[in-house]
Structure formats: C-alpha cells, structure tokens
Amino acid sequence: MLKFIKGNLEQIDGVEIYPIISLLIFFIFFVVLFWWVFTATKEHIKEVSNIPFESNENNEKV
C-alpha cells in the first residue's frame, strides 16, 4: 500500500517541504505549550482546576 502512495508523491515537485512544515508546526506548538505551562501563575492554575467543582444552577440535576 505504501508503494502506491510513495509513487504518487514522488511525482509532485516540492513535496519534500510538507513533512518539514508539519514537523515545525508540531515542534512550535509544543514549545509554546510548555512555555505557557511553566509561566502560568499558581493562582490561575488553582482557579481553572476548581471550575468543575463550582455549582451552577442551570446545570444542576435535581
């Protein structure tokens, strides 16, 4: 099955740039995510972690 895909992709000019772009997007996304996690304040993390425990009158089941 891979032979068919590889054969078709070899005929496209400039196709080798797409894996590089996808790797860069993946890498940049996780670098930004790690930066956000390490720079987030403890107060923000505590506030966000308590959201599921807050009661909301519209969503409570009786």
Side-chain angles (χ1 to χ4, degrees), residues 14-62:
V15 75
E16 64 273 356
I17 193 71
Y18 293 113
I20 296 169
I21 291 172
S22 62
L23 180 65
L24 284 175
I25 291 171
F26 178 81
F27 183 74
I28 290 170
F29 173 77
F30 280 102
V31 166
V32 170
L33 184 67
F34 283 135
W35 174 78
W36 179 79
V37 168
F38 288 123
T39 60
T41 62
K42 289 186 179 184
E43 292 83 21
H44 177 70
I45 300 296
K46 187 177 278 189
E47 179 183 342
V48 173
S49 65
N50 287 327
I51 289 175
F53 300 118
E54 295 175 358
S55 64
N56 189 353
E57 293 179 22
N58 297 332
N59 292 334
E60 277 187 22
K61 292 184 179 180
V62 177

